[in-house]
Amino acid sequence: MNSRLAVATHILTFIETLAGQPATSELIASSVNTNPTLIRRLLSQLAKAGLTTSQMGSGGGALLARPADQITLRDVYGAIDDDGEVFALHDQPNPQCPVGRNINAVLKTRIAAAQQALRDELAKTTIADMAHDVAAQNLLAAKA
Amino acid sequence: MNSRLAVATHILTFIETLAGQPATSELIASSVNTNPTLIRRLLSQLAKAGLTTSQMGSGGGALLARPADQITLRDVYGAIDDDGEVFALHDQPNPQCPVGRNINAVLKTRIAAAQQALRDELAKTTIADMAHDVAAQNLLAAKA
DNA sequence: CATATATGTATCCATATCTGTTACAGATAT
DNA sequence: ATATCTGTAACAGATATGGATACATATATG
Protein backbone atom coordinates (compact mmCIF):
# COMPACT_ATOMS: atom_id res chain seq x y z
CA MET A 1 0.00 0.00 0.00
CA ASN A 2 0.90 3.64 -0.19
CA SER A 3 2.14 5.57 2.79
CA ARG A 4 -0.06 8.62 2.46
CA LEU A 5 -2.04 7.97 5.62
CA ALA A 6 1.24 7.60 7.50
CA VAL A 7 2.72 10.77 6.05
CA ALA A 8 -0.47 12.79 6.51
CA THR A 9 -0.67 11.68 10.13
CA HIS A 10 2.98 12.57 10.57
CA ILE A 11 2.31 16.02 9.17
CA LEU A 12 -0.59 16.68 11.53
CA THR A 13 1.24 15.30 14.53
CA PHE A 14 4.21 17.45 13.68
CA ILE A 15 2.09 20.58 13.39
CA GLU A 16 0.47 19.79 16.73
CA THR A 17 3.82 19.48 18.48
CA LEU A 18 4.78 22.94 17.23
CA ALA A 19 1.96 24.22 19.44
CA GLY A 20 0.67 27.04 17.29
CA GLN A 21 3.79 28.02 15.42
CA PRO A 22 3.17 27.72 11.66
CA ALA A 23 4.99 24.76 10.10
CA THR A 24 6.54 25.29 6.69
CA SER A 25 6.46 22.48 4.17
CA GLU A 26 10.24 22.44 4.22
CA LEU A 27 10.37 21.93 7.98
CA ILE A 28 7.78 19.18 7.85
CA ALA A 29 9.60 17.57 4.93
CA SER A 30 12.80 17.39 6.95
CA SER A 31 10.96 15.53 9.69
CA VAL A 32 9.28 13.13 7.30
CA ASN A 33 12.47 12.89 5.28
CA THR A 34 10.97 13.63 1.93
CA ASN A 35 10.65 16.72 -0.23
CA PRO A 36 8.48 19.77 0.38
CA THR A 37 6.31 19.29 -2.69
CA LEU A 38 4.98 15.99 -1.44
CA ILE A 39 4.14 17.66 1.85
CA ARG A 40 2.38 20.51 0.10
CA ARG A 41 0.38 18.09 -2.00
CA LEU A 42 -0.87 16.33 1.11
CA LEU A 43 -1.42 19.60 2.95
CA SER A 44 -3.55 20.73 0.06
CA GLN A 45 -5.79 17.70 0.52
CA LEU A 46 -5.88 18.15 4.28
CA ALA A 47 -6.85 21.79 3.86
CA LYS A 48 -9.65 20.87 1.45
CA ALA A 49 -10.97 18.45 4.05
CA GLY A 50 -10.95 21.23 6.63
CA LEU A 51 -8.23 19.75 8.81
CA THR A 52 -5.55 22.39 8.25
CA THR A 53 -5.15 25.96 7.13
CA SER A 54 -2.13 27.45 5.43
CA GLN A 55 -0.73 30.90 5.36
CA MET A 56 1.26 31.95 2.31
CA GLY A 57 4.20 34.24 2.43
CA SER A 58 6.97 35.00 4.82
CA GLY A 59 6.41 33.63 8.30
CA GLY A 60 3.60 31.48 6.95
CA GLY A 61 3.01 27.78 7.08
CA ALA A 62 0.40 25.26 8.10
CA LEU A 63 -1.75 25.14 11.22
CA LEU A 64 -4.44 22.77 12.43
CA ALA A 65 -7.89 24.03 11.56
CA ARG A 66 -9.37 22.61 14.76
CA PRO A 67 -8.12 21.19 18.07
CA ALA A 68 -5.96 18.08 17.76
CA ASP A 69 -8.34 16.06 19.91
CA GLN A 70 -11.04 16.69 17.34
CA ILE A 71 -9.11 15.26 14.41
CA THR A 72 -9.17 11.47 14.14
CA LEU A 73 -7.21 9.16 11.88
CA ARG A 74 -10.51 8.43 10.19
CA ASP A 75 -10.72 12.10 9.24
CA VAL A 76 -7.20 11.89 7.88
CA TYR A 77 -7.97 8.76 5.91
CA GLY A 78 -11.07 10.38 4.48
CA ALA A 79 -9.06 13.43 3.48
CA ILE A 80 -6.28 11.71 1.61
CA ASP A 81 -8.11 8.76 0.10
CA ASP A 82 -10.33 9.88 -2.73
CA ASP A 83 -12.64 6.90 -2.98
CA GLY A 84 -11.88 5.25 0.35
CA GLU A 85 -11.88 1.79 -1.15
CA VAL A 86 -9.47 -0.72 0.31
CA PHE A 87 -10.70 -3.46 -2.00
CA ALA A 88 -11.90 -3.15 -5.57
CA LEU A 89 -14.50 -5.25 -7.29
CA HIS A 90 -13.66 -6.90 -10.58
CA ASP A 91 -15.03 -5.15 -13.64
CA GLN A 92 -17.81 -6.81 -15.53
CA PRO A 93 -18.15 -10.40 -14.36
CA ASN A 94 -20.04 -12.57 -16.82
CA PRO A 95 -23.74 -11.63 -16.61
CA GLN A 96 -24.69 -14.97 -18.18
CA CYS A 97 -23.26 -16.90 -15.22
CA PRO A 98 -25.43 -17.26 -12.10
CA VAL A 99 -22.42 -16.47 -9.96
CA GLY A 100 -20.91 -13.74 -12.12
CA ARG A 101 -24.28 -12.04 -12.37
CA ASN A 102 -24.59 -11.49 -8.62
CA ILE A 103 -21.17 -11.73 -7.05
CA ASN A 104 -20.49 -8.01 -7.04
CA ALA A 105 -23.76 -7.07 -5.40
CA VAL A 106 -23.13 -9.60 -2.64
CA LEU A 107 -19.46 -8.76 -2.22
CA LYS A 108 -20.12 -5.06 -2.13
CA THR A 109 -21.99 -5.17 1.16
CA ARG A 110 -19.45 -7.48 2.79
CA ILE A 111 -16.53 -5.35 1.71
CA ALA A 112 -18.32 -2.20 2.80
CA ALA A 113 -18.79 -3.68 6.26
CA ALA A 114 -15.10 -4.50 6.50
CA GLN A 115 -14.09 -1.03 5.41
CA GLN A 116 -16.50 0.45 7.90
CA ALA A 117 -14.86 -1.57 10.67
CA LEU A 118 -11.50 -0.23 9.55
CA ARG A 119 -12.73 3.34 9.66
CA ASP A 120 -14.41 2.87 13.02
CA GLU A 121 -11.14 1.67 14.48
CA LEU A 122 -9.23 4.58 12.95
CA ALA A 123 -11.77 6.95 14.50
CA LYS A 124 -10.59 5.89 17.95
CA THR A 125 -7.25 7.67 17.56
CA THR A 126 -6.90 11.44 17.50
CA ILE A 127 -3.95 13.59 16.52
CA ALA A 128 -3.80 14.58 20.19
CA ASP A 129 -3.32 10.89 21.03
CA MET A 130 -0.56 10.65 18.47
CA ALA A 131 1.26 13.71 19.79
CA HIS A 132 0.88 12.42 23.34
CA ASP A 133 2.23 8.97 22.46
CA VAL A 134 5.17 10.42 20.56
CA ALA A 135 6.04 12.64 23.52
CA ALA A 136 5.77 9.65 25.85
CA GLN A 137 8.17 7.70 23.67
CA ASN A 138 10.66 10.52 23.90
CA LEU A 139 10.40 10.60 27.67
CA LEU A 140 10.98 6.87 27.79
CA ALA A 141 14.07 7.17 25.64
CA ALA A 142 15.40 10.03 27.75
CA LYS A 143 15.20 7.97 30.92
CA ALA A 144 16.93 4.96 29.41
CA MET B 1 -6.98 -0.96 -4.80
CA ASN B 2 -6.57 -4.24 -6.57
CA SER B 3 -9.41 -6.66 -7.10
CA ARG B 4 -7.68 -9.84 -6.05
CA LEU B 5 -9.79 -10.39 -2.96
CA ALA B 6 -12.88 -9.97 -5.11
CA VAL B 7 -11.65 -12.36 -7.79
CA ALA B 8 -10.41 -14.94 -5.29
CA THR B 9 -13.76 -14.85 -3.49
CA HIS B 10 -15.50 -15.19 -6.82
CA ILE B 11 -13.38 -18.24 -7.61
CA LEU B 12 -14.18 -19.96 -4.34
CA THR B 13 -17.86 -19.11 -4.53
CA PHE B 14 -17.97 -20.43 -8.06
CA ILE B 15 -16.30 -23.68 -7.04
CA GLU B 16 -18.74 -24.08 -4.19
CA THR B 17 -21.75 -23.67 -6.47
CA LEU B 18 -20.44 -26.48 -8.66
CA ALA B 19 -21.04 -28.74 -5.65
CA GLY B 20 -18.10 -31.07 -5.99
CA GLN B 21 -17.55 -31.00 -9.72
CA PRO B 22 -13.98 -29.87 -10.47
CA ALA B 23 -13.84 -26.34 -11.91
CA THR B 24 -11.34 -25.70 -14.67
CA SER B 25 -9.52 -22.40 -14.81
CA GLU B 26 -11.12 -21.73 -18.15
CA LEU B 27 -14.63 -22.22 -16.79
CA ILE B 28 -13.92 -19.99 -13.82
CA ALA B 29 -12.32 -17.41 -16.10
CA SER B 30 -15.48 -17.22 -18.18
CA SER B 31 -17.51 -16.47 -15.06
CA VAL B 32 -15.07 -13.84 -13.81
CA ASN B 33 -14.61 -12.54 -17.33
CA THR B 34 -10.84 -12.62 -17.39
CA ASN B 35 -8.24 -15.04 -18.69
CA PRO B 36 -7.40 -18.49 -17.31
CA THR B 37 -3.84 -17.58 -16.36
CA LEU B 38 -4.98 -15.01 -13.85
CA ILE B 39 -7.31 -17.60 -12.34
CA ARG B 40 -4.53 -20.16 -12.13
CA ARG B 41 -2.23 -17.63 -10.47
CA LEU B 42 -4.80 -16.98 -7.78
CA LEU B 43 -5.67 -20.67 -7.45
CA SER B 44 -2.01 -21.35 -6.90
CA GLN B 45 -2.01 -18.96 -3.94
CA LEU B 46 -5.28 -20.36 -2.60
CA ALA B 47 -3.87 -23.88 -2.80
CA LYS B 48 -0.71 -22.86 -0.95
CA ALA B 49 -2.91 -21.44 1.80
CA GLY B 50 -4.76 -24.74 2.01
CA LEU B 51 -8.08 -23.45 0.74
CA THR B 52 -8.24 -25.36 -2.54
CA THR B 53 -6.79 -28.42 -4.21
CA SER B 54 -6.25 -28.89 -7.90
CA GLN B 55 -6.16 -31.94 -10.08
CA MET B 56 -4.11 -31.82 -13.23
CA GLY B 57 -5.04 -33.55 -16.41
CA SER B 58 -8.21 -34.46 -18.18
CA GLY B 59 -11.31 -34.14 -16.05
CA GLY B 60 -9.28 -32.18 -13.54
CA GLY B 61 -9.82 -28.77 -12.00
CA ALA B 62 -10.07 -27.08 -8.65
CA LEU B 63 -11.99 -28.12 -5.55
CA LEU B 64 -12.37 -26.63 -2.12
CA ALA B 65 -9.96 -28.18 0.34
CA ARG B 66 -12.46 -27.89 3.18
CA PRO B 67 -16.17 -27.20 3.62
CA ALA B 68 -17.32 -23.79 2.39
CA ASP B 69 -18.61 -22.83 5.81
CA GLN B 70 -15.09 -23.22 7.14
CA ILE B 71 -13.50 -20.76 4.70
CA THR B 72 -13.88 -17.11 5.63
CA LEU B 73 -13.06 -13.99 3.64
CA ARG B 74 -10.31 -13.44 6.16
CA ASP B 75 -8.75 -16.70 5.07
CA VAL B 76 -9.03 -15.57 1.47
CA TYR B 77 -7.47 -12.21 2.26
CA GLY B 78 -4.62 -13.91 4.09
CA ALA B 79 -4.05 -16.21 1.14
CA ILE B 80 -3.83 -13.60 -1.58
CA ASP B 81 -2.22 -10.72 0.27
CA ASP B 82 1.43 -11.40 0.90
CA ASP B 83 2.11 -8.93 3.67
CA GLY B 84 -1.46 -8.12 4.65
CA GLU B 85 -0.71 -4.44 4.99
CA VAL B 86 -3.44 -2.02 4.01
CA PHE B 87 -1.33 0.97 4.99
CA ALA B 88 2.40 1.39 4.69
CA LEU B 89 4.65 3.40 6.94
CA HIS B 90 6.98 5.96 5.43
CA ASP B 91 10.57 4.85 5.08
CA GLN B 92 13.13 6.43 7.34
CA PRO B 93 11.62 9.48 8.97
CA ASN B 94 14.24 11.87 10.34
CA PRO B 95 15.74 10.27 13.49
CA GLN B 96 16.94 13.69 14.63
CA CYS B 97 13.42 15.00 14.91
CA PRO B 98 11.45 14.18 18.07
CA VAL B 99 8.41 13.39 15.95
CA GLY B 100 10.18 11.62 13.11
CA ARG B 101 12.08 9.49 15.59
CA ASN B 102 8.94 7.95 17.10
CA ILE B 103 6.09 8.37 14.66
CA ASN B 104 6.42 4.95 13.10
CA ALA B 105 6.44 3.06 16.38
CA VAL B 106 3.30 4.87 17.47
CA LEU B 107 1.56 4.61 14.14
CA LYS B 108 2.36 0.94 13.78
CA THR B 109 0.18 -0.12 16.68
CA ARG B 110 -2.70 2.08 15.59
CA ILE B 111 -2.59 0.84 12.04
CA ALA B 112 -2.29 -2.74 13.23
CA ALA B 113 -5.45 -2.31 15.30
CA ALA B 114 -7.32 -0.96 12.29
CA GLN B 115 -6.17 -3.80 10.09
CA GLN B 116 -7.16 -6.27 12.78
CA ALA B 117 -10.65 -4.78 12.84
CA LEU B 118 -10.80 -5.19 9.07
CA ARG B 119 -9.79 -8.84 9.29
CA ASP B 120 -12.19 -9.54 12.12
CA GLU B 121 -15.03 -8.21 10.04
CA LEU B 122 -13.95 -10.26 7.02
CA ALA B 123 -13.91 -13.35 9.25
CA LYS B 124 -17.66 -13.03 9.72
CA THR B 125 -18.38 -14.05 6.13
CA THR B 126 -17.83 -17.57 4.82
CA ILE B 127 -17.81 -18.87 1.28
CA ALA B 128 -20.98 -20.73 2.21
CA ASP B 129 -22.56 -17.36 3.04
CA MET B 130 -21.43 -16.00 -0.30
CA ALA B 131 -22.86 -18.95 -2.23
CA HIS B 132 -26.09 -18.71 -0.29
CA ASP B 133 -26.45 -14.98 -0.92
CA VAL B 134 -25.72 -15.38 -4.62
CA ALA B 135 -28.35 -18.10 -4.89
CA ALA B 136 -30.83 -15.92 -3.04
CA GLN B 137 -30.20 -13.08 -5.48
CA ASN B 138 -30.95 -15.40 -8.37
CA LEU B 139 -34.22 -16.51 -6.79
CA LEU B 140 -35.20 -12.90 -6.31
CA ALA B 141 -34.46 -12.11 -9.93
CA ALA B 142 -36.42 -15.15 -11.10
CA LYS B 143 -39.52 -14.04 -9.24
CA ALA B 144 -39.38 -10.51 -10.55
C1' DC C 1 1.29 -46.30 -25.31
C1' DA C 2 -0.46 -42.10 -27.56
C1' DT C 3 -3.34 -38.28 -27.11
C1' DA C 4 -6.18 -34.79 -25.32
C1' DT C 5 -6.89 -32.12 -21.33
C1' DA C 6 -5.59 -29.17 -17.63
C1' DT C 7 -2.45 -27.23 -14.20
C1' DG C 8 1.79 -24.54 -12.74
C1' DT C 9 4.83 -21.13 -13.89
C1' DA C 10 7.82 -18.06 -16.55
C1' DT C 11 7.92 -14.17 -19.47
C1' DC C 12 6.44 -10.08 -21.72
C1' DC C 13 3.55 -5.89 -22.24
C1' DA C 14 0.45 -1.99 -21.46
C1' DT C 15 -1.41 0.77 -18.06
C1' DA C 16 -1.82 2.91 -13.67
C1' DT C 17 -0.08 4.46 -9.33
C1' DC C 18 3.34 6.29 -6.26
C1' DT C 19 7.15 8.98 -5.00
C1' DG C 20 10.50 12.33 -5.97
C1' DT C 21 12.04 16.45 -8.55
C1' DT C 22 12.03 20.84 -10.96
C1' DA C 23 9.69 24.90 -12.12
C1' DC C 24 6.95 28.82 -11.57
C1' DA C 25 2.87 31.84 -10.60
C1' DG C 26 0.59 33.99 -6.70
C1' DA C 27 0.27 35.57 -1.90
C1' DT C 28 2.30 37.86 2.15
C1' DA C 29 5.43 39.88 5.65
C1' DT C 30 9.19 43.09 6.27
C1' DA D 1 11.05 45.95 -3.64
C1' DT D 2 12.44 41.70 -1.87
C1' DA D 3 12.57 37.47 0.41
C1' DT D 4 9.62 33.83 1.88
C1' DC D 5 6.20 30.43 1.35
C1' DT D 6 2.17 28.08 -0.70
C1' DG D 7 -0.32 25.90 -4.64
C1' DT D 8 -0.03 23.42 -8.64
C1' DA D 9 1.59 21.77 -13.05
C1' DA D 10 4.74 18.82 -15.47
C1' DC D 11 7.87 15.14 -15.83
C1' DA D 12 10.62 10.91 -14.66
C1' DG D 13 11.70 6.50 -12.45
C1' DA D 14 10.06 2.57 -9.78
C1' DT D 15 6.64 -0.61 -8.72
C1' DA D 16 2.05 -2.91 -9.05
C1' DT D 17 -1.60 -4.68 -11.69
C1' DG D 18 -4.06 -7.19 -15.12
C1' DG D 19 -3.86 -9.34 -19.55
C1' DA D 20 -1.58 -12.47 -23.04
C1' DT D 21 1.45 -16.16 -24.88
C1' DA D 22 4.19 -20.13 -24.22
C1' DC D 23 5.55 -24.44 -22.53
C1' DA D 24 6.84 -28.22 -19.28
C1' DT D 25 4.38 -31.48 -16.37
C1' DA D 26 0.65 -34.35 -14.77
C1' DT D 27 -3.39 -37.28 -15.62
C1' DA D 28 -7.51 -39.63 -17.62
C1' DT D 29 -8.93 -42.16 -21.50
C1' DG D 30 -9.07 -44.82 -25.64
Side-chain angles (χ1 to χ4, degrees), chain A residues 114-130:
Chain A
Q115 291 175 166
Q116 187 59 44
L118 179 79
R119 282 192 286 265
D120 288 348
E121 185 64 32
L122 288 176
K124 294 179 183 172
T125 300
T126 68
I127 295 301
D129 294 331
M130 292 296 302

Side-chain angles (χ1 to χ4, degrees), chain A residues 32-62:
Chain A
V32 175
N33 196 22
T34 181
N35 65 85
T37 299
L38 177 61
I39 301 298
R40 292 206 289 267
R41 274 205 287 246
L42 285 169
L43 273 174
S44 172
Q45 293 189 267
L46 294 173
K48 273 172 191 152
L51 304 184
T52 62
T53 57
S54 284
Q55 192 74 11
M56 285 179 156
S58 184

Side-chain angles (χ1 to χ4, degrees), chain A residues 90 92, chain B residues 7 25-26 28-39:
Chain A
H90 186 76
Q92 306 181 318
Chain B
V7 175
S25 62
E26 187 161 1
I28 301 172
S30 82
S31 174
V32 176
N33 196 20
T34 181
N35 66 83
T37 300
L38 177 62
I39 300 299

Side-chain angles (χ1 to χ4, degrees), chain A residues 1-7 9-10 13-14 17 30-34 38 73 77 83 85-94 97-107 110-111 113-115 117-118 121-122 124-125 129-130 133-134 137-138, chain B residues 1-7 9-10 13-14 17 30-34 38 73 77 83 85-94 97-107 110-111 113-115 117-118 121-122 124-125 129-130 133-134 137-138:
Chain A
M1 262 313 282
N2 67 51
S3 62
R4 277 189 294 206
L5 176 65
V7 175
T9 304
H10 187 152
T13 304
F14 185 89
T17 63
S30 82
S31 174
V32 175
N33 196 22
T34 181
L38 177 61
L73 296 195
Y77 181 45
D83 54 3
E85 302 292 334
V86 175
F87 302 118
L89 298 177
H90 186 76
D91 285 346
Q92 306 181 318
N94 187 344
C97 166
V99 176
R101 182 161 53 223
N102 298 306
I103 189 79
N104 275 355
V106 173
L107 250 182
R110 306 288 183 161
I111 286 179
Q115 291 175 166
L118 179 79
E121 185 64 32
L122 288 176
K124 294 179 183 172
T125 300
D129 294 331
M130 292 296 302
D133 286 8
V134 163
Q137 287 277 325
N138 275 316
Chain B
M1 262 311 281
N2 68 50
S3 61
R4 278 189 293 208
L5 176 66
V7 175
T9 304
H10 187 151
T13 304
F14 185 87
T17 62
S30 82
S31 174
V32 176
N33 196 20
T34 181
L38 177 62
L73 295 194
Y77 181 45
D83 53 4
E85 302 294 335
V86 175
F87 303 118
L89 298 177
H90 187 77
D91 286 346
Q92 306 180 318
N94 188 343
C97 166
V99 176
R101 183 162 52 225
N102 299 306
I103 189 80
N104 274 356
V106 173
L107 250 182
R110 306 288 182 162
I111 286 179
Q115 291 176 164
L118 178 79
E121 185 64 32
L122 288 176
K124 294 179 183 171
T125 301
D129 294 331
M130 292 295 302
D133 287 6
V134 164
Q137 286 277 326
N138 274 316

Side-chain angles (χ1 to χ4, degrees), chain B residues 19-103:
Chain B
Q21 183 185 342
T24 69
S25 62
E26 187 161 1
L27 190 58
I28 301 172
S30 82
S31 174
V32 176
N33 196 20
T34 181
N35 66 83
T37 300
L38 177 62
I39 300 299
R40 292 206 290 267
R41 273 204 289 246
L42 285 169
L43 273 173
S44 172
Q45 293 188 267
L46 294 173
K48 272 172 191 151
L51 304 184
T52 61
T53 58
S54 283
Q55 191 74 11
M56 283 180 156
S58 184
L63 295 170
L64 299 186
R66 59 176 190 254
D69 62 1
Q70 290 170 37
I71 301 176
T72 72
L73 295 194
R74 177 183 175 158
D75 297 326
V76 182
Y77 181 45
I80 53 118
D81 201 274
D82 301 324
D83 53 4
E85 302 294 335
V86 175
F87 303 118
L89 298 177
H90 187 77
D91 286 346
Q92 306 180 318
N94 188 343
Q96 311 219 298
C97 166
V99 176
R101 183 162 52 225
N102 299 306
I103 189 80

